[in-house]
């Protein structure tokens, strides 16, 4: 999805001068209010590009409404471009500068030998509310007039400050910046994406609803999970069975849909389709829309027929939840309603949801029970409303049954978990559903549960499992709550990008940053353990010996020859001694 122009009926993020974010829906002919910064018509923003800074224009009279103006870069960075470091030595009258420095030497801390000012301090400055002569009533009256984008108001506030000339250059810039963030009527339009949504939930909303998931941690999860778009295939051209089809991801999300949104963005099915382009990336041809209800009403003799499912076959996200309905409230900022999905949105075909009860014990769930088939003679006597209700139940049962059977077959390409549940119990049931080389990623705000999980898949526990494997029907046991042979290379890691203030002599972390949980990520790789015993086969290479003798046989022959030569030499010595003894006698 290319974020170029702001389209109607979509959510847009507005970054205010104070740095805070607000999300608004661009409904035509509505008023967008930014609180103390003013308001404007949504039609003034629709059709304009993202990533630009806009300024709320003045109201000429009571009948006209505020408009918007794109602030050019030259105006945005005018202070930086025009900033020049001037010293008293650059002035023409050096004598006058020296005299001024001597008179106000008490206000400066550092001067050179000539008396020129090098550094001013605020040691003798006392903050006093009486320094600002303009009252809040006067400021509110100027704001109510709505004249100027806030520059005139900021200039009047600076002019009315009696101790402004006593401030240092840094203190003056800091004071001006503070007033600019408070009164300048500007904002920057940004597209809504999962990282921005994570930052907005963490700083502006309740971070506990997303398990305090930070945008850098979200990026780390997306990198390790290896979620990506897979080339679409139709059912007629599939050369592999469904259980090993690519582009299928398994997710356990209790962050309100933030994790699902990040995965859908990587697959390319998150944002609603553009009016000029076809909807999403189709993975199978759609059948023409038919109105089953109208056909039933026109033909009373119609019998119930099974409608073909329009669920996608690849590039799908299967969400497992613990409640009767999944919590996907954050997906509404991408124009997707989980309770009433729009057929034109890609997530309606690519997002599949089922509960833990439907996955583990489908016979115990009423939604997996087939509705009682109606005989044709009974069906003909029903009214159109009752027939529509019957078809709706049949379609719901067919969808749930298809999702449950497909999920239980397994063959997923990856597993991503962000849940308050014990991750050990989650992986015990879901890891066997993964194919070989699939990535497993588990997020937790604290590290304790992930360290325990890494120990269950450690090398020592794997060796103990292989030496004395428990019976399959006895799993899970106290020592082996999971099968340690199914995952390799368990790792626990974290990441946290802390903002810093970088100024000459004043470089330090921002002390007003958001606290909370740091967040940790567990990663591992799914492997398929070998069945039965492992035997080493093949022709072993023997080491070369001298001549035609090789390997151990060559060494044995050589050893025998050495022993024989030593025995011959010993016999020769004995014979020589005997001959010498005979000659002497």
């Amino acid at each position: 999805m290319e974020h170029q122009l702001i389209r109607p009926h979509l959510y847009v993020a507005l970054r205010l001068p104070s740095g805070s974010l607000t999300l608004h829906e661009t409904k035509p002919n509505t008023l967008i209010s930014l609180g103390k910064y003013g308001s404007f018509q949504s039609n003034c923003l629709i059709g304009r590009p993202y990533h630009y800074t806009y300024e709320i224009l003045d109201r000429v009279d009571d009948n006209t409404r505020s408009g918007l103006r794109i602030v050019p870069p030259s105006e945005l960075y005018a202070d930086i471009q025009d900033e020049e470091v001037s010293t008293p030595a650059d002035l023409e009258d050096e004598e006058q500068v020296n005299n001024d420095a001597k008179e106000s030497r008490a206000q400066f801390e550092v001067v050179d030998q000539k008396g020129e000012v090098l550094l001013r301090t605020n040691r003798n400055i006392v903050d006093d509310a009486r320094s600002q002569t303009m009252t809040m009533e006067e400021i509110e009256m100027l704001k109510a007039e709505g004249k100027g984008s806030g520059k005139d108001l900021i200039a009047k506030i600076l002019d009315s400050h009696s101790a402004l000339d006593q401030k240092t250059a840094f203190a003056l810039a800091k004071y001006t910046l503070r007033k600019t963030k408070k009164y300048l009527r500007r904002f920057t339009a940004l597209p809504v994406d999962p990282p921005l949504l994570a930052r907005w939930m963490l700083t502006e909303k309740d971070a506990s609803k997303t398990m305090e998931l930070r945008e850098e941690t979200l990026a780390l999860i997306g990198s390790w999970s290896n979620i990506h778009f897979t080339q679409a295939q139709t059912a007629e051209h599939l050369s592999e069975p469904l259980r090993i089809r690519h582009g299928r991801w398994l997710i356990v999300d209790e962050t309100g849909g933030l994790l699902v949104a990040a995965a859908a963005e990587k697959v390319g099915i998150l944002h609603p389709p553009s009016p000029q382009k076809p909807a999403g990336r189709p993975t199978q041809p759609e059948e023409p829309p038919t109105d089953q209800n109208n056909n039933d009403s026109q033909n009373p003799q119609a019998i119930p027929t099974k409608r073909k499912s329009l669920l996608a076959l690849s590039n799908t996200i299967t969400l497992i939840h613990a409640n009767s309905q999944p919590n996907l409230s954050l997906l509404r900022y991408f124009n997707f309603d989980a309770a009433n999905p729009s057929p034109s949105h890609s997530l309606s075909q690519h997002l599949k949801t089922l509960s833990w009860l439907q996955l583990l014990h489908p016979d115990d769930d009423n939604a997996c029970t087939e509705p009682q088939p109606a005989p044709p003679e009974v069906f003909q006597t029903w009214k159109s409303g009752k027939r529509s209700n019957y078809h709706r139940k049949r379609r719901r049962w067919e969808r749930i049954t298809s999702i449950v059977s497909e999920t239980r077959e397994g063959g997923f390409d990856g597993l991503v978990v962000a849940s308050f549940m014990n991750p050990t119990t989650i992986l015990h049931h879901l890891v066997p559903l993964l194919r070989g080389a699939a990535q497993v990623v588990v997020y937790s705000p604290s590290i304790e549960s992930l360290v325990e999980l890494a120990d269950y898949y450690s090398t020592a526990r794997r060796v103990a499992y292989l030496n004395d494997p428990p019976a399959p029907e006895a799993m899970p046991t106290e020592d082996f709550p999971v099968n340690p042979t199914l995952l390799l290379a368990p790792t626990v890691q974290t990441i946290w990008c802390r903002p810093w203030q970088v100024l000459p002599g004043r470089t330090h972390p921002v002390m007003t940053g958001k606290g909370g949980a740091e967040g940790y990520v567990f990663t591992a790789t799914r492997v398929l353990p070998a069945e039965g015993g492992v035997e080493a086969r093949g022709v072993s290479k023997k080491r070369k010996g001298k001549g035609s003798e090789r390997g151990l046989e060559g060494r044995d022959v050589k050893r025998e020859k050495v022993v024989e030569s030593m025995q011959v030499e010993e016999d020769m010595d004995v014979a020589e001694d005997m001959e010498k003894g005979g000659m002497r006698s």
Side-chain angles (χ1 to χ4, degrees), residues 233 237-241:
Q233 297 177 342
H237 298 84
L238 286 176
S239 59
E240 299 179 348

Side-chain angles (χ1 to χ4, degrees), residues 518-574:
E518 186 170 351
Y520 297 87
V521 176
F522 168 87
T523 60
T525 303
R526 171 77 160 98
V527 293
L528 303 177
E531 298 180 358
V534 180
E535 299 179 359
R537 296 182 179 181
V539 180
S540 60
K541 295 183 179 180
K542 300 180 180 179
R543 296 183 180 180
K544 295 182 179 180
K546 291 185 178 181
S548 61
E549 301 167 354
R550 302 174 182 272
L552 296 176
E553 297 179 358
R555 289 196 294 270
D556 294 340
V557 173
K558 185 176 181 180
R559 188 180 300 107
E560 293 177 359
K561 290 184 177 181
V562 171
V563 172
E564 291 178 359
S565 62
M566 293 177 62
Q567 186 66 30
V568 171
E569 292 179 357
E570 185 178 356
D571 295 343
M572 292 178 62
D573 293 341
V574 172

Side-chain angles (χ1 to χ4, degrees), residues 38-107:
S39 59
F40 59 93
Q41 285 292 321
S42 60
N43 296 344
C44 299
L45 193 60
I46 296 175
R48 294 202 174 188
Y50 286 102
H51 304 287
Y52 276 78
T53 300
Y54 297 90
E55 181 178 280
I56 302 177
L57 298 179
D58 307 339
R59 295 196 303 266
V60 179
D61 50 38
D62 296 338
N63 297 327
T64 59
R65 298 174 179 176
S66 300
L68 297 179
R69 178 182 71 92
I70 296 180
V71 182
S74 58
E75 184 177 347
L76 281 175
Y77 306 105
D79 298 339
I80 300 177
Q81 296 175 356
D82 299 339
E83 184 179 357
E84 296 180 0
V85 180
S86 59
T87 59
D90 297 333
L91 301 178
E92 298 179 358
D93 194 355
E94 296 184 1
E95 182 178 358
Q96 182 65 29
V97 172
N98 296 337
N99 294 336
D100 294 342
K102 292 178 181 179
E103 294 177 359
S104 59
R105 188 179 297 270
Q107 300 179 6

Side-chain angles (χ1 to χ4, degrees), residues 101-403:
K102 292 178 181 179
E103 294 177 359
S104 59
R105 188 179 297 270
Q107 300 179 6
F108 299 98
E109 181 180 13
V110 180
V111 295
D112 59 5
Q113 296 179 356
K114 298 181 180 180
E116 297 178 353
V117 179
L118 297 181
L119 181 64
R120 170 185 285 186
T121 65
N122 56 357
R123 177 182 302 176
N124 300 324
I125 298 178
V126 178
D127 292 334
D128 191 357
R130 293 174 297 181
S131 301
Q132 179 57 258
T133 58
M134 183 177 292
T135 61
M136 286 301 301
E137 290 76 8
E138 297 175 351
I139 294 176
E140 293 297 332
M141 290 178 59
L142 293 176
K143 290 173 58 179
E145 293 178 0
K147 295 182 178 180
S149 61
K151 295 181 181 179
D152 297 340
L153 178 59
I154 296 173
K156 292 181 179 180
I157 292 176
L158 295 179
D159 292 340
S160 60
H161 199 288
S162 59
L164 194 66
D165 55 343
Q166 300 178 6
K167 292 182 177 293
T168 63
F170 177 73
L172 179 59
K174 189 175 181 180
Y175 181 79
T176 306
L177 181 62
R178 188 166 63 250
K179 299 304 178 183
T180 300
K181 290 182 178 181
K182 189 174 182 180
Y183 297 111
L184 192 61
R185 298 196 298 166
R186 290 179 180 176
F187 64 88
T188 303
L190 301 173
V192 179
D193 52 13
L196 184 141
L197 197 60
R199 184 168 66 252
W200 178 66
M201 290 294 297
L202 188 67
T203 57
E204 307 294 337
K205 296 296 181 177
D206 188 5
S208 62
K209 293 183 178 180
T210 58
M211 300 181 64
E212 302 183 66
L213 186 60
R214 302 177 183 272
E215 54 180 324
E216 57 268 19
T217 309
L218 189 64
L220 183 65
I221 293 174
S223 177
W224 277 103
S225 61
N226 193 27
I227 298 178
H228 58 278
F229 171 77
T230 306
Q231 183 64 34
Q233 297 177 342
T234 59
E236 292 77 9
H237 298 84
L238 286 176
S239 59
E240 299 179 348
L242 182 62
R243 58 186 176 87
I244 58 175
R245 187 170 300 137
H246 299 278
R248 301 168 61 234
W249 315 98
L250 194 60
I251 294 181
V252 180
D253 184 9
E254 294 187 9
T255 62
L258 181 60
L259 206 59
V260 173
E265 186 183 40
K266 287 184 172 293
V267 179
I269 57 176
L270 175 61
H271 300 281
S274 175
Q276 294 80 11
K277 298 181 181 180
R281 293 167 167 169
T283 57
Q284 75 177 42
E286 299 182 1
E287 73 174 18
T290 58
D291 194 346
Q292 183 71 32
N293 303 336
N294 294 340
N295 295 340
D296 295 340
S297 60
Q298 296 176 2
N299 184 12
Q301 305 296 329
I303 59 176
T305 57
K306 182 177 180 181
R307 177 176 294 186
K308 182 180 178 182
S309 176
L310 296 180
L311 293 176
L313 302 178
S314 61
N315 296 312
T316 61
I317 298 175
T318 302
L319 174 66
I320 303 178
H321 54 88
N323 303 318
S324 58
Q325 296 293 332
N327 180 14
L328 299 174
S329 58
L330 294 182
L331 291 184
R332 66 187 182 92
Y333 296 106
F334 305 98
N335 284 43
F336 180 78
D337 186 6
N340 187 21
S342 173
S344 61
H345 203 291
S346 301
L347 284 176
S348 61
Q349 302 178 11
H350 294 261
L351 179 60
K352 306 175 182 180
T353 62
L354 74 160
S355 63
W356 284 103
L357 181 61
Q358 295 170 351
L359 176 65
L360 302 180
H361 306 285
D363 297 336
D364 297 340
D365 188 76
N366 296 330
C368 297
T369 304
E370 182 180 4
Q372 185 68 26
E377 58 275 7
V378 176
F379 184 79
Q380 295 172 5
T381 61
W382 289 351
K383 296 182 179 180
S384 60
K386 191 173 183 179
R387 288 197 295 266
S388 300
N389 189 25
Y390 176 81
H391 284 299
R392 180 182 58 82
K393 291 182 179 180
R394 294 285 303 183
R395 288 194 298 268
R396 181 173 179 267
W397 170 77
E398 292 171 1
R399 178 186 177 92
I400 294 177
T401 305
S402 174
I403 294 175

